[in-house]
């Protein structure tokens, strides 16, 4: 940590530092781009993975907090850049350093109206073109008259904008056309069976070959981050089930951990074991559903019914303990909501007994199928460098050879003491992404096997204050969701509700990389690639 | 084997005795037309039910079981609904072609339907180039699909139609060549002639290796011809919404839906005719007692039973395999099936010339 | 008249008063015998063949997938023919939150459905905005945009509840009139007058 600080000070004397669980660097906007380049390219630092960009409104100034991670030694660092201009806030873009920054900066622009100079695509991301105001600013007018429910079809522009500095330092707006006038643009989505929800791809095709994809999201943008600012801390938890509805337990885990970290609460071992058990069960269920819907997209409908059998069994276990089939709301600050059902151990053992046979069946039925091989192998290959630069984490990143499992790189809860493998493949194609998920199901089963006979006695939820107030400050926590790294950033001003709650979902980078992967392939490959990335649209939009 | 032509002849005589010849012919034509339509509709409805039940069985489900006994009336309910469902009038389309397309598709399948050998003496169209006629009329269907895709003025339907065009033109070759192989073996193009040839032994047995190869190729190409999985690219749900018939509603969509299922029957019917003896019962040379028992089963039952058994196999494909991609689909045809087929034709000729068959 | 479906006793239904009132309204003008029996036949067809549109925005859509799967198997009722094209579907299960950006798209899908068309508002989000009601970007109930036939509460509703909702819809179809009489269609026209349709040119 210290030598990072030294190194940065040597090159950038303006930088100031705040010590914390993660080192925070304050840097003036003018130097930020150079620092970013240095942080990424310097062989010792090598911060090549941009975890997320947190847009902030501190009332007196706007700014961004960048979370960076090195993939060589997994050191984390954060950088804070601010601007005091409230009329025309502008920062410099780092989209040329990390590819994923392009879309993260669009998100910040959409929510805070901060313009990023040199970002090649400065359009709104979630809200429509004609939306008035920037919703996450503290002075945003929430009244429905301001933005009524639209009756007309949304206005569509075929251009995007970029802001560049000319030689005398003035910022100019430039227009870039998205599609050529003669392009045959097919509109796939938002209501389309293969987009897994309401994502929209405007696809320029040449016959069956895809030339370019422009992705639009926001068709299920529910403004969870803004809503959380008006709720108390325990109330914010239930939204976690409704983003990526398969990783509900993981997301709960993340948010609970960040609150517990802030409050300094130590939860009981029993609660930790229960949380990990639930996480891993949910992972198996999620990968089952992935496999089923993926096969259905590819035309092998029957597979869906076989995978759903196992999922239903897991849902039964969950239902008995949590009381719901999908939106469990099980984790709470201090532990979990209810104790385990008396039959829990028996049910889980029954599941573990049938799982290997089922996995064998999936391999036989689909992975070994000659048509499936033809459709999946060498389709949508993602290299390790691109995976890191595009921020593609989770099973999709690991299939490209990037060991990015948070359970191994930054072990949280009791994962450090468990014995399991991080499955990493190197091919990076759709087939390896699919096979990797099946292999992960086996690893999750292994974790459950280790824990199921050793659930310690104790309280499932420790005592916490009736009114939860976080001390002023900010915290960041990552967990490994079913689809990749899920990060939570919380900033508190000492009150009963968060000043800013930023959720960094894994699915936005996944949807963003589709264009890169599909260029030059066939329309059918769009389905193959999109399906194998396994994004969940409410998770992208929040 | 009971010859059903006795009945048809008797009806003909009866009509002639009460009315002049031209009127009798007209009445017969109308009666046959109505019967054909009726059988067509009933069979299609049965097939819809059959597929839903079979697919449910593959997927560990029950399938329709509420409407009528065992859900038998499910497809009738669907039909009633479809008949009175609104036919949406679209703007910016080619009205005439849009309306024409479903009729072309259904006429094509109805014409090929008429050629099938239903039973001993129970055949509607029977002339010396029956098989040739069948291949010719079944190709009209692709025209309907192309028109439907083009006239809808929708990008998805257009892509679906183009895929369909490429697919049909390619797989027509395989169908044609495997049929040609069997025609060469039978030595006739007449449908009754082909059935008669299989009196002693079905072609799939008597033609041994080349016949089996031809049968496998025919089954693959036939599945592709009917746009069914794994070759259902023209209407690939997850890619193209509903493919070429995305914009069709009400009864017009109903026509496509019926034709799809009937084409399944026709493909299996033709396979039955070429490889499994049409309506001919299972005969094994030398086993006279067995053959006599088999003869007791009516010929219509033989034909429909065999066709349904083959359809079951095709349905099995659909619910097992993932879909192919368009380039893989064309590769399969042009790089594999076509050369194998040509080789197989030569092989068949050798078999015939040297009399190597049974 | 007791409107019910196979193997479902009349007393087991909720909202019987609503259906009875509907029947009363429809019977008010009397029924022609021949026309009435045609109506019966058509309603039998319609109420037994309800094809859904594959339309889901979030969590409820996953429960709809479960509804199709082996345990709940909606195919038993003949509802499994999920059409991707709205032209061929009978009803739209609005499963999930509808936000401002999606609202015109959903309205357009509704307009593209062929008559007779029905809407089930599935889950609390579609009914009222649910947990996201206070958000700046969420529609507070889809009945602002399209007429709703059945409201199905839950977050998300269980598959059993979905079966019940579609059975209620089927019951509603059973008492409709196709030939003359008071028809639901007029209600749609009223609704459309209040919520004018945009022109697609």
């Amino acid at each position: 940590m210290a030598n990072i600080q030294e190194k940065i000070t040597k090159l950038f004397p303006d930088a100031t530092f705040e010590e914390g669980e993660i080192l925070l660097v304050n840097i003036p906007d003018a130097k930020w781009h150079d620092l970013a380049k240095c942080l990424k390219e310097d062989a010792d630092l090598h911060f090549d993975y941009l975890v997320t960009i947190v847009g902030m409104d501190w009332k007196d100034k706007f700014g961004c907090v960048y979370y960076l991670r090195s993939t060589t030694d997994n050191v984390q660092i954060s950088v804070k850049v601010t601007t005091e201009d409230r009329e025309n806030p502008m920062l410099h873009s780092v989209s040329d350093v990390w590819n994923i920054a392009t879309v993260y900066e669009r998100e910040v622009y959409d929510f805070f109206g901060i313009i990023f100079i040199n970002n090649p695509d400065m359009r709104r991301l979630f809200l429509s073109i004609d939306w008035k105001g920037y919703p996450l600013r503290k002075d945003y007018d929430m009244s429905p008259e301001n933005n009524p429910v639209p009756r007309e079809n949304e206005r569509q522009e075929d251009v995007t904008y970029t802001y560049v500095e000319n030689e005398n330092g003035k910022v100019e707006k430039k227009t870039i056309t998205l599609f050529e006038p003669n392009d045959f643009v097919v509109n796939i989505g938002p209501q389309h069976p293969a987009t897994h929800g309401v994502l929209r791809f405007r696809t320029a095709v040449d016959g069956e070959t895809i030339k370019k994809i422009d992705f639009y999201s926001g068709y299920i943008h529910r403004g969870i981050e803004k809503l959380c600012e008006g709720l108390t801390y325990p109330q914010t938890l239930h939204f976690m089930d409704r983003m990526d509805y398969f990783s509900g337990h993981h997301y709960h885990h993340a948010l609970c951990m960040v609150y517990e970290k802030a409050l300094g609460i130590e939860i009981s071992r029993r609660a930790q074991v229960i949380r990990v058990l639930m996480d891993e069960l949910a992972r198996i269920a999620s990968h089952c559903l992935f496999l089923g819907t993926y096969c259905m997209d590819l035309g092998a409908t029957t597979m869906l019914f076989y995978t759903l059998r196992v999922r239903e069994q897991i849902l039964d276990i969950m239902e008995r303990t949590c009381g719901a089939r999908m939106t469990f709301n099980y984790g709470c600050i201090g532990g979990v909501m209810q104790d385990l059902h008396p039959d829990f151990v028996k049910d889980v053992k029954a599941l573990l007994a049938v799982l290997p046979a089922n996995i064998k069946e999936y391999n036989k039925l689909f992975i070994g199928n000659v048509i499936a091989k033809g459709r999946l192998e060498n389709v949508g290959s993602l290299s390790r460098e691109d995976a890191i630069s595009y921020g593609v984490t989770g099973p999709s990143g690991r299939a490209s050879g990037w060991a990015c499992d948070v359970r191994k790189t930054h072990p949280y809860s009791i994962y450090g003491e468990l014995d399991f493998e991080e499955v990493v493949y190197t091919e990076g194609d759709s087939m390896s992404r699919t096979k990797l998920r099946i292999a992960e199901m086996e690893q999750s089963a292994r974790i459950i096997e280790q824990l199921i006979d050793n659930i310690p006695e104790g309280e499932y939820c420790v005592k916490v204050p009736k009114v939860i107030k976080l001390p002023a400050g900010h915290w960041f926590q990552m967990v490994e969701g079913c689809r990749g790294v899920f990060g939570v950033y919380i900033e508190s001003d000492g009150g009963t509700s968060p000043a800013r709650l930023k959720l960094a979902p894994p699915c936005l980078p996944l949807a963003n990389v589709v264009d890169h992967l599909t260029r030059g392939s066939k329309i059918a490959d769009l389905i193959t690639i999109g399906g194998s990335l396994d994004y969940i649209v409410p998770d992208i939009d929040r | 084997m009971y010859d059903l032509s006795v009945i048809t002849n008797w009806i003909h005589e009866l009509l002639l005795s009460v009315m002049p010849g031209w009127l009798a012919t007209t009445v017969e034509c109308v009666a046959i037309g109505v019967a054909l339509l009726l059988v067509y509709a009933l069979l299609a409805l049965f097939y819809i039910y059959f597929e839903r039940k079979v697919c449910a069985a593959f997927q560990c489900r029950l399938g329709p079981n509420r409407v009528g006994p065992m859900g038998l009336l499910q497809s009738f309910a669907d039909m009633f609904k479809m008949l009175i469902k609104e036919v949406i009038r679209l703007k910016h389309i080619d009205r005439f072609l849009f309306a024409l397309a479903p009729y072309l598709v259904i006429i094509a399948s109805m014409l090929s339907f008429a050629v099938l050998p239903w039973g001993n003496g129970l055949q509607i169209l029977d002339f010396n180039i029956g098989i040739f006629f069948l291949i010719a009329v079944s190709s009209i269907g692709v025209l309907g699909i192309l028109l439907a895709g083009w006239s809808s003025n929708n990008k998805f339907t257009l892509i679906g139609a183009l895929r369909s065009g490429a697919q049909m033109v390619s797989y027509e070759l395989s169908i044609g060549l495997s049929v040609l192989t069997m025609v060469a073996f039978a030595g006739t193009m007449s449908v009754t002639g082909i059935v008669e040839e299989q009196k002693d032994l079905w072609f799939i047995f008597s033609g041994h290796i080349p016949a089996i190869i031809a049968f496998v190729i025919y089954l693959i190409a036939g599945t592709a011809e009917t746009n069914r999985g794994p070759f259902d690219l023209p209407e690939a749900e997850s890619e193209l919404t509903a493919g070429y018939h995305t914009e069709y509603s009400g009864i017009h969509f109903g026509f496509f839906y019926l034709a799809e299922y009937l084409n399944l029957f026709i493909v299996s019917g033709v396979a039955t005719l070429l490889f499994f003896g049409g309506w001919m019962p299972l005969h094994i040379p030398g086993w006279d007692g067995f053959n006599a028992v088999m003869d007791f089963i009516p010929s219509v039952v033989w034909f429909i039973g065999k066709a349904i058994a083959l359809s079951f196999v095709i349905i099995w494909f659909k619910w097992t395999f993932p879909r192919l991609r368009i380039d893989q689909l064309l590769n399969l045809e042009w790089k594999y099936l076509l050369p194998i087929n040509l080789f197989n034709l030569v092989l068949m000729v050798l078999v015939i010339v040297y009399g190597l068959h049974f | 008249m007791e409107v019910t479906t196979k193997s479902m006793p009349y007393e087991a239904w909720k909202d019987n008063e609503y259906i009875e009132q509907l029947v009363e309204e429809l019977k008010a003008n009397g029924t022609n015998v021949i026309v009435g029996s045609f109506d019966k036949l058509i309603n039998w067809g319609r109420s037994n063949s309800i094809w859904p549109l594959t339309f889901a925005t979030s969590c409820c859509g996953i429960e709809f997938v479960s509804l199709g799967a082996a345990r709940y198997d909606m195919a038993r009722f003949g509802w499994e023919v999920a059409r991707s094209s709205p032209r061929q579907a009978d009803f739209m299960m609005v499963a999930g939150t509808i936000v401002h950006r999606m609202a015109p798209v959903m309205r357009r899908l509704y307009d593209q459905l062929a008559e007779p068309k029905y809407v089930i508002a599935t889950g609390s989000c579609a009914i009222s905005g649910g947990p996201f009601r206070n958000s700046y970007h969420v529609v507070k109930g889809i009945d602002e945009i399209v007429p709703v036939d059945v409201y199905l509460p839950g977050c998300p509703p269980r598959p059993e509840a979905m079966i019940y909702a579609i059975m209620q819809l089927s019951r509603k179809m059973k008492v409709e009139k196709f030939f003359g009489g008071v028809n639901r269609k007029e209600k749609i026209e009223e609704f459309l007058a209040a919520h004018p349709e945009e022109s697609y040119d």
Side-chain angles (χ1 to χ4, degrees):
Chain A
M1 205 68 95
N3 62 359
I4 298 174
Q5 209 164 324
E6 263 168 43
K7 202 156 195 168
I8 296 173
T9 328
K10 209 166 21 171
L11 292 166
F12 301 93
D14 309 358
T16 56
F17 300 91
E18 286 171 39
E19 291 280 353
E21 53 163 346
I22 297 170
L23 179 72
L24 180 76
V25 186
N26 280 304
I27 187 94
D29 174 45
K31 293 281 169 62
W32 165 224
H33 188 260
D34 296 336
L35 174 66
K37 261 205 146 78
C38 168
L39 284 175
K40 184 179 175 194
E41 281 157 17
D42 188 290
D44 292 340
L45 302 172
H46 199 64
F47 286 104
D48 49 356
Y49 167 40
L50 174 64
V51 181
T52 187
I53 302 179
V54 186
M56 289 295 302
D57 177 6
W58 287 283
K59 287 185 181 146
D60 52 336
K61 57 189 178 187
F62 285 118
C64 288
V65 183
Y66 297 76
Y67 276 88
L68 304 170
R69 199 166 96 189
S70 158
T71 54
T72 40
D73 47 11
N74 295 317
V75 175
Q76 294 194 75
I77 189 177
S78 59
V79 181
K80 190 198 248 179
V81 187
T82 55
T83 171
E84 295 194 349
D85 185 358
R86 275 199 84 86
E87 285 303 306
N88 265 318
M90 284 194 189
L91 293 175
H92 279 85
S93 165
V94 286
S95 54
D96 53 336
V97 184
W98 298 282
N99 271 321
I100 186 63
T102 316
V103 68
Y104 283 159
E105 284 171 358
R106 270 181 76 185
E107 184 194 310
V108 175
Y109 168 67
D110 198 2
F111 288 159
F112 294 94
I114 303 174
I115 287 167
F116 288 86
I117 300 161
N118 293 332
N119 185 317
D121 189 5
M122 259 297 89
R123 278 176 298 163
R124 304 203 80 137
L125 183 64
F126 297 129
L127 304 170
S128 58
I129 301 179
D130 297 321
W131 189 267
K132 292 190 199 77
Y134 300 98
L136 258 71
R137 285 188 179 185
K138 295 287 178 198
D139 54 1
Y140 174 70
D141 179 14
M142 285 261 271
S143 59
E145 296 77 41
N146 197 19
N147 285 298
V149 179
R151 302 266 172 226
E152 298 281 306
N153 278 350
E154 191 184 324
R155 194 160 62 83
Q156 177 79 56
E157 271 185 344
D158 271 341
V159 293
T160 180
Y161 305 98
T162 180
Y163 294 83
V164 289
E165 265 175 321
N166 58 14
E167 51 273 18
N168 40 17
K170 255 185 99 52
V171 177
E172 283 176 354
K173 189 178 183 181
K174 276 192 177 167
T175 308
I176 304 171
T177 48
L178 289 169
F179 296 105
E180 302 294 318
N182 289 332
D183 275 348
F184 187 76
V185 181
V186 181
N187 190 28
I188 298 180
Q191 200 285 122
H192 189 274
T195 51
H196 288 230
V198 280
L199 197 59
R200 174 167 170 229
F201 294 115
R202 290 185 77 211
T203 315
V205 293
D206 178 14
E208 284 268 345
T209 313
I210 294 172
K211 281 162 77 181
K212 184 183 179 176
I213 285 183
D214 190 23
F215 100 97
Y216 290 75
S217 58
Y219 291 92
I220 183 80
H221 171 63
R222 302 178 283 200
I224 292 180
E225 289 173 15
K226 183 77 178 178
L227 279 172
C228 286
E229 290 174 14
L231 298 174
T232 63
Y233 289 107
Q235 281 175 331
T236 57
L237 283 167
H238 81 279
F239 287 128
M240 298 303 112
D241 281 319
R242 290 166 178 82
M243 289 170 50
D244 176 352
Y245 24 77
F246 304 117
S247 311
H249 283 301
H250 307 83
Y251 287 21
H252 262 280
H253 201 159
L255 199 57
C256 291
M257 269 199 295
V258 79
Y259 288 154
E260 283 151 12
K261 191 154 69 180
L263 291 165
I265 296 173
E266 190 74 35
I267 68 164
S268 69
R269 167 112 188 147
R270 182 177 176 86
Q272 273 177 336
V273 170
I274 294 175
R275 279 185 187 175
V276 169
L277 275 173
M278 286 299 176
D279 281 6
E280 297 309 318
L281 282 174
R283 199 183 308 278
I284 297 176
S286 164
H287 287 344
C288 274
L289 194 87
F290 154 77
L291 197 61
T293 47
Y294 188 39
C295 297
M296 190 168 73
D297 284 349
L298 294 175
T301 323
T302 304
M303 189 66 176
L304 174 69
F305 296 86
Y306 291 159
T307 57
L308 279 180
R309 267 199 310 214
V310 170
R311 182 169 180 264
E312 285 289 342
Q313 204 176 342
I314 298 175
L315 291 191
D316 278 349
I317 298 173
M318 300 253 183
E319 195 183 348
R320 287 184 143 186
T321 294
C322 315
R325 278 169 55 86
M326 278 194 73
T327 44
F328 311 107
N329 201 21
Y330 188 54
C332 68
I333 301 172
V336 292
M337 280 279 184
Q338 307 96 10
D339 206 354
L340 290 175
H341 189 270
D343 286 346
F344 181 80
V345 176
K346 197 184 83 194
D347 289 348
V348 171
K349 280 189 176 158
L351 171 79
L352 291 176
V354 297
L355 198 62
N358 272 296
I359 290 176
K360 206 172 153 196
E361 192 180 53
Y362 304 154
N363 279 323
K364 238 185 190 165
L365 194 62
F366 186 73
I367 303 295
N369 186 316
V370 62
I371 300 178
K373 278 186 180 160
R375 284 295 302 275
L376 299 183
E377 275 171 3
N378 298 321
V379 170
S381 294
L382 182 67
S383 68
R384 185 174 184 271
E385 287 69 42
D386 282 339
I388 295 170
S389 183
Y390 280 99
V392 176
T393 55
S396 310
R398 290 194 282 281
S400 300
W402 176 24
C404 53
D405 194 331
V406 185
R407 293 176 295 175
K408 285 282 182 194
T409 59
H410 301 90
Y412 53 93
S413 193
I414 55 165
Y415 279 113
E417 41 192 276
L418 294 172
D419 173 36
F420 68 100
E421 265 170 58
E422 177 180 9
V423 191
V424 177
Y425 291 153
T426 49
E427 296 88 348
D429 58 356
S430 304
M431 183 53 118
S432 62
R433 286 193 279 269
T434 313
K435 282 203 296 211
L436 192 128
R437 284 190 170 87
I438 297 180
E440 279 202 351
M441 278 157 67
E442 284 166 352
Q443 292 304 323
S444 292
R446 211 169 125 188
I447 294 176
I448 296 168
E449 261 167 27
Q450 288 168 42
L451 290 175
I452 193 66
D453 284 325
N454 310 312
I455 304 175
E457 291 300 319
E459 49 186 357
Y460 57 88
C461 186
V462 299
K463 276 234 165 354
V464 290
K466 281 245 162 59
V467 178
I468 290 174
K469 273 188 187 169
L470 259 59
H474 61 89
W475 294 269
F476 187 71
Q477 176 66 48
M478 291 186 295
V479 295
E480 183 68 22
C482 301
R483 277 153 196 81
V485 175
F486 174 69
V488 183
Y489 171 90
I490 184 117
E491 173 139 347
S492 161
D493 50 10
T496 51
S497 51
R500 170 93 170 98
L501 179 66
K502 157 78 186 171
L503 306 162
C507 293
L508 181 58
L510 293 177
N512 183 48
V513 81
V514 170
D515 177 38
H516 170 73
L517 291 181
T518 46
R519 291 219 175 167
S521 43
K522 302 277 182 287
I523 294 176
D525 289 339
L526 169 63
I527 313 304
T528 316
I529 294 166
S532 71
L533 291 168
D534 190 24
Y535 42 74
I536 299 292
V537 184
D539 190 43
I540 300 172
D541 290 356
R542 280 160 280 154
Chain B
M1 197 82 220
Y2 187 71
D3 194 347
L4 290 163
S5 60
V6 176
I7 303 173
T8 49
N9 284 337
W10 175 74
I11 295 171
H12 185 63
E13 297 295 325
L14 191 75
L15 284 175
L16 275 185
S17 62
V18 292
M19 56 182 81
W22 60 271
L23 192 59
T25 312
T26 316
V27 168
E28 279 167 17
C29 281
V30 170
I32 288 169
V34 169
L36 190 67
L37 274 175
L38 207 67
V39 173
Y40 185 91
L42 283 177
L43 209 58
L45 291 180
F46 167 75
Y47 256 72
I48 293 172
Y49 170 77
F50 179 61
E51 161 136 49
R52 285 164 84 166
K53 272 292 196 196
V54 168
C55 113
F58 283 136
Q59 299 173 346
C60 336
R61 297 187 285 120
L62 289 172
N65 69 355
R66 290 296 174 113
V67 191
M70 288 156 64
L72 269 169
L73 297 179
Q74 183 61 55
S75 30
F76 285 88
D78 287 342
M79 186 194 68
F80 275 116
K81 182 207 66 184
M82 202 105 82
L83 278 175
I84 46 158
K85 192 101 178 137
E86 180 194 10
V87 178
I88 297 176
R89 286 170 61 88
L90 300 168
K91 289 178 195 165
H92 310 298
I93 56 160
D94 192 324
R95 285 262 160 74
F96 175 67
L97 294 184
F98 187 76
L100 181 68
Y103 292 96
L104 275 181
V105 169
I106 205 142
I107 284 173
S109 77
M110 217 175 273
L111 280 175
S112 6
F113 191 64
V115 188
L116 296 176
W118 287 94
N120 193 1
L122 200 68
Q123 195 175 351
I124 298 152
L125 288 177
D126 183 23
F127 44 104
N128 53 359
I129 52 159
I131 284 287
F132 185 66
F133 174 79
L134 189 120
I135 290 177
V137 291
S138 66
S139 313
I140 299 174
V142 66
L143 188 64
I145 289 176
L146 275 175
L147 283 186
W150 171 255
S151 64
S152 299
N153 195 12
N154 175 321
K155 287 170 182 170
F156 284 122
T157 59
L158 184 61
I159 297 174
L162 290 178
R163 279 183 177 185
S164 177
Q167 181 177 332
M168 296 268 202
V169 168
S170 313
Y171 280 84
E172 205 96 294
L173 276 173
S174 273
I175 293 223
L177 278 172
S178 51
V179 168
L180 190 63
T181 313
M182 295 323 289
V183 166
F185 188 59
T188 171
M189 272 197 181
S190 145
V191 172
T192 27
I194 292 174
V195 176
E196 281 303 320
E197 284 288 315
Q198 306 183 55
K199 197 164 59 196
D200 298 327
L201 203 56
W202 296 348
F203 280 169
I204 190 88
F205 302 126
S206 59
H208 50 89
I209 297 167
I212 291 170
I213 295 176
F215 172 64
V216 171
I217 290 178
Y218 180 84
L219 209 60
I220 295 173
T223 316
E225 272 281 292
T226 46
N227 289 336
R228 291 183 59 82
F231 305 102
D232 55 349
L233 287 97
E235 44 189 301
E237 274 216 348
S238 52
E239 294 162 31
L240 302 174
T241 326
Y244 58 86
H245 57 59
T246 304
E247 295 286 349
Y248 282 89
S249 55
I251 190 65
H252 281 168
F253 163 66
F255 283 161
F256 283 115
Y257 200 62
L258 283 190
E260 188 192 322
Y261 283 97
L262 240 286
N263 284 339
L264 172 61
F265 178 78
I266 290 163
V267 162
S268 15
V270 174
T272 310
L273 160 69
L274 290 175
F275 303 99
F276 294 93
W279 50 260
M280 218 30 114
L282 180 61
H283 285 171
I284 299 169
W287 294 24
D288 290 335
F290 175 79
N291 293 349
V293 172
M294 286 294 136
D295 281 345
F296 274 107
I297 302 173
S299 51
V300 181
V301 174
W302 272 109
F303 178 71
I304 294 183
K306 281 187 264 186
I308 288 177
L310 281 175
S311 312
F312 176 78
V313 176
I314 297 179
I315 291 174
W316 195 347
F317 289 164
K318 169 160 179 171
W319 297 106
T320 310
F321 292 127
R323 188 179 299 124
L324 285 161
R325 202 171 56 204
I326 183 76
D327 53 330
Q328 295 168 342
L329 178 95
L330 297 179
N331 268 350
L332 175 68
E333 165 63 25
W334 293 96
K335 287 194 184 156
Y336 300 99
L337 294 188
L338 189 65
I340 294 174
N341 228 332
L342 288 169
F343 167 77
N344 190 38
L345 185 58
V346 175
L347 192 68
M348 181 56 104
V349 170
L350 291 179
V351 165
I352 298 164
V353 169
Y354 292 105
L356 297 173
H357 52 85
F358 297 114
Chain C
M1 188 171 100
E2 291 196 345
V3 189
T4 183
T5 55
K6 195 173 175 180
S7 62
M8 184 89 173
Y10 186 65
E11 300 74 39
W13 294 96
K14 296 227 163 63
D15 295 322
N16 277 333
E17 311 78 48
Y18 173 81
I19 290 283
E20 271 159 24
Q21 192 194 332
L22 198 68
V23 173
E24 280 305 308
E25 250 174 64
L26 292 171
K27 269 190 181 163
N29 297 335
T31 319
N32 185 313
V33 178
I34 299 168
V35 168
S37 29
F38 267 123
D39 266 346
K40 267 199 186 136
L41 182 67
I42 285 166
N43 286 340
W44 172 79
R46 276 182 181 174
S47 61
N48 282 314
S49 154
I50 317 178
W51 293 2
L53 171 70
T54 38
F55 175 75
T57 58
S58 48
C59 334
C60 300
I62 304 303
E63 287 296 70
F64 192 65
V65 173
S66 300
L67 177 62
R71 181 179 293 182
Y72 300 101
D73 192 20
M74 59 178 173
R76 288 176 294 150
F77 306 88
W79 306 330
E80 89 274 35
V81 198
R83 304 302 311 176
S84 308
S85 166
R87 308 262 186 229
Q88 297 146 13
D90 295 309
F91 79 103
M92 190 164 145
M93 198 127 179
V94 183
T97 327
I98 296 300
V99 300
H100 282 222
R101 202 173 191 181
M102 193 65 196
V105 180
M106 195 193 78
R107 175 57 192 262
R108 192 167 179 169
L109 280 172
Y110 177 77
D111 289 337
Q112 283 174 339
L113 284 170
E115 288 281 357
K117 52 190 170 187
Y118 307 89
V119 175
I120 298 183
T122 309
S124 49
C125 291
I127 294 174
S128 67
F132 309 102
R133 189 174 168 82
N134 295 330
S135 170
Y136 53 88
H137 200 238
V138 170
V139 177
K140 293 165 183 61
I142 57 158
D143 41 12
E144 285 181 26
I145 311 164
V146 294
V148 176
D149 292 277
V150 178
Y151 291 91
L152 168 58
C155 189
R158 298 178 58 89
E160 292 95 328
M162 289 185 172
I163 294 180
Y164 181 69
I166 306 178
M167 279 165 89
Q168 283 280 24
L169 178 66
S170 151
R171 205 154 74 114
K172 231 175 145 176
M173 289 176 176
K174 273 197 183 141
V175 296
E176 254 176 28
K177 283 188 174 183
F178 181 66
F179 296 106
V182 187
N183 204 318
R184 189 183 155 281
K185 202 165 176 175
E186 280 152 39
K187 265 202 190 154
I188 287 191
E189 270 147 20
E190 279 166 28
F191 185 89
L192 290 184
H195 302 75
E197 194 175 350
E198 54 194 294
S199 57
Y200 301 114
D201 281 319

